Amino acid sequence: MTNFSPDDLHGYIAEHSAELLDLIKTLCRIPAPSNDEGARAAFLRDWFLTRCGSEEADVIVDGALNVIYRLNYRADEDVSIFMAHTDTVFPDLTPFEPEEREGRLYCPGVGDDTTNLAMLMLSARYVATRKVPSDCGVLFVGNAGEEGLGNLKGCRKLMEDHAGRVRQVVSFDGRLGNLTNKAVGSRRYRVAVSGQGGHSWNDFGNSNAIQILSEIIVDLYKIAPPAAPDGPTTLNVGKISGGTSVNSIAETSEMLFEYRSVTQRGLDIMERKFREILERRRGEAEKIEVELIGERPSAGKLDPTAQETLERKAFEVIQSVTGKAPKVRAASTDCNLPLSLGIPAVALGGYRGSGAHTRGEFIDLSSLSEGFEVVLRLILRCMEA
């Protein structure tokens, strides 16, 4: 059993409540767009080195900009990974300033995933200073590249570097009361179309890249996405661009397109239909180029007992602390990668709030102590032999 008492745990949470809020605000002020997380990574590295009770703390920053605090670590032994992502969806490199009002803290990225990251950091300090035992190595990770075109680069690096040794993965991502246990896989493409182009009057009748792309989009939305047992599955054109002026026939146009499914078969069906549409339209264009810009796998073959054990621990901790059963759901998270490799994994969060991925995002400050307890308790449960 873990080396702590409920009174000690509650005392630690209460003692560090102000520090938690201050840490959230500090992290909010450090820009961390996907693929540009270096400043926040440097802060995490220094924090782990100075705040976790030992000047010889085992902290590394790997090639993907993951910040990894290692406890009881041996290169040839199993590890449990507890992680929260450092990146946000916002491209800004100018620091944000969080604003506290009416019991809420407002800031882009404050919930997704800054609050969960701060809770992970303070939980790591509890484990380190209390010398909580474990029967395998423990990695506390501020991981890079979870959002958008970060394409799970941080988690990919973790799975590669610890291949065959990962016992379980818990990702702290999302709001309090949700529990993700299934992976929504996806593939994301940039499709660029070239037409003849020309002057809108003199060259009328030349092929127009915008028209061709529009017809491709119409074709895509005529697809009936696979349902169970091969789904649910979705598709989306999220961005289109192209052309030169109102009196020019467009030479080029492009779109960003993705499809998602909870099954590998659903992804493969969508891939086939997507490619068939492009092939039908190729004769109308000068050129159609397709670039895969992101891929997240669905779940692979899991040991049902190991996965159910981890899910049960998370479910029981959330229900015990909040008094309510969590909402269990499928989602696209860092857990996609371990689940695709057959590694037990769940994702859950430690705050209540709203507005994720918008500039009006906020967290409810009254939820922090409860959420912090969920994060810390689950880590301790997962470290039990």
Side-chain angles (χ1 to χ4, degrees):
M1 296 292 291
T2 50
N3 185 28
F4 76 98
S5 70
D7 287 344
D8 182 63
L9 184 146
H10 287 133
Y12 181 85
I13 291 171
E15 179 184 351
H16 292 86
S17 60
E19 182 180 1
L20 173 61
L21 180 56
D22 182 66
L23 183 56
I24 294 168
K25 292 178 179 179
T26 298
L27 289 167
C28 280
R29 296 184 181 105
I30 305 173
S34 298
N35 299 317
D36 199 356
E37 304 95 339
R40 195 171 283 192
F43 174 83
L44 259 68
R45 178 201 60 213
D46 293 345
W47 191 94
F48 281 130
L49 286 170
T50 59
R51 302 295 180 89
C52 286
S54 172
E55 294 180 357
E56 299 178 356
D58 185 0
V59 183
I60 65 169
V61 180
D62 68 18
L65 289 181
N66 294 317
V67 183
I68 308 171
Y69 176 36
R70 306 188 295 196
L71 292 173
N72 193 30
Y73 180 80
R74 299 290 184 274
D76 58 346
E77 294 181 355
D78 286 356
V79 294
S80 290
I81 297 177
F82 304 105
M83 61 197 300
H85 65 84
T86 59
D87 61 322
T88 73
V89 298
F90 303 97
D92 308 58
L93 291 175
T94 301
F96 293 118
E97 184 56 42
E99 181 182 355
E100 189 175 341
R101 65 177 188 270
E102 297 178 348
R104 294 174 173 178
L105 184 66
Y106 290 83
C107 191
V110 64
D112 186 11
D113 197 30
T114 304
T115 294
N116 292 319
L117 177 61
M119 290 176 177
L120 176 74
M121 294 163 69
L122 287 171
S123 296
R125 186 162 75 185
Y126 181 92
V127 170
T129 56
R130 267 57 173 185
K131 300 187 183 335
V132 178
S134 65
D135 64 346
C136 70
V138 176
L139 307 183
F140 291 100
V141 184
N143 68 283
E146 193 277 337
E147 298 287 7
L149 297 182
N151 201 31
L152 305 185
K153 68 174 183 181
C155 194
R156 289 181 196 278
K157 178 69 170 170
L158 288 170
M159 296 302 106
E160 291 169 2
D161 290 351
H162 303 87
R165 300 196 290 124
V166 181
R167 182 176 297 183
Q168 59 190 342
V169 174
V170 178
S171 173
F172 295 103
D173 190 4
R175 295 194 295 269
L176 180 62
N178 291 333
L179 175 60
T180 296
N181 68 339
K182 290 183 174 62
V184 177
S186 64
R187 292 179 187 149
R188 293 165 173 169
Y189 289 96
R190 177 180 291 108
V191 179
V193 175
S194 299
Q196 291 171 306
H199 191 280
S200 62
W201 175 262
N202 296 330
D203 299 311
F204 181 69
N206 282 4
S207 60
N208 185 317
I210 289 176
Q211 178 192 357
I212 298 166
L213 182 66
S214 299
E215 290 170 348
I216 290 172
I217 293 171
V218 170
D219 290 344
L220 289 171
Y221 276 92
K222 289 179 179 177
I223 294 174
D230 299 320
T233 306
T234 64
L235 60 93
N236 184 60
V237 176
K239 183 179 180 181
I240 58 174
S241 61
T244 303
S245 68
V246 69
N247 59 336
S248 299
I249 298 169
E251 281 189 273
T252 61
S253 185
E254 70 173 45
M255 70 172 178
L256 299 181
F257 171 67
E258 73 160 18
Y259 53 84
R260 300 184 178 215
S261 184
V262 296
T263 70
Q264 186 61 43
R265 180 170 164 78
L267 294 175
D268 292 341
I269 290 171
M270 288 300 300
E271 178 75 12
R272 175 174 54 79
K273 293 183 176 182
F274 170 56
R275 296 288 178 175
E276 287 173 352
I277 289 169
L278 295 180
E279 286 305 311
R280 286 202 304 269
R281 295 292 181 181
R282 281 192 188 278
E284 304 169 12
E286 297 296 297
K287 184 189 297 183
I288 296 179
E289 298 175 298
V290 182
E291 178 188 3
L292 179 67
I293 58 174
E295 184 171 17
R296 299 187 177 204
S298 297
K301 187 176 181 180
L302 287 158
D303 176 346
T305 301
Q307 178 66 20
E308 289 167 8
T309 297
L310 179 57
E311 289 178 23
R312 185 178 65 254
K313 289 178 180 179
F315 191 101
E316 290 174 353
V317 166
I318 295 170
Q319 186 170 46
S320 173
V321 175
T322 68
K324 296 180 180 179
K327 179 181 179 181
V328 183
R329 60 175 192 160
S332 178
T333 70
D334 278 309
C335 291
N336 283 46
L337 282 169
L339 288 171
S340 75
L341 297 170
I343 299 168
V346 294
L348 63 153
Y351 69 93
R352 293 188 178 92
S354 188
H357 290 204
T358 75
R359 293 180 182 271
E361 184 175 5
F362 69 86
I363 60 170
D364 290 321
L365 297 177
S366 63
S367 68
L368 293 184
S369 61
E370 199 172 56
F372 188 8
E373 183 173 352
V374 166
V375 171
L376 182 50
R377 277 192 181 276
L378 181 57
I379 291 169
L380 297 173
R381 280 288 304 274
C382 290
M383 288 179 63
E384 292 177 352

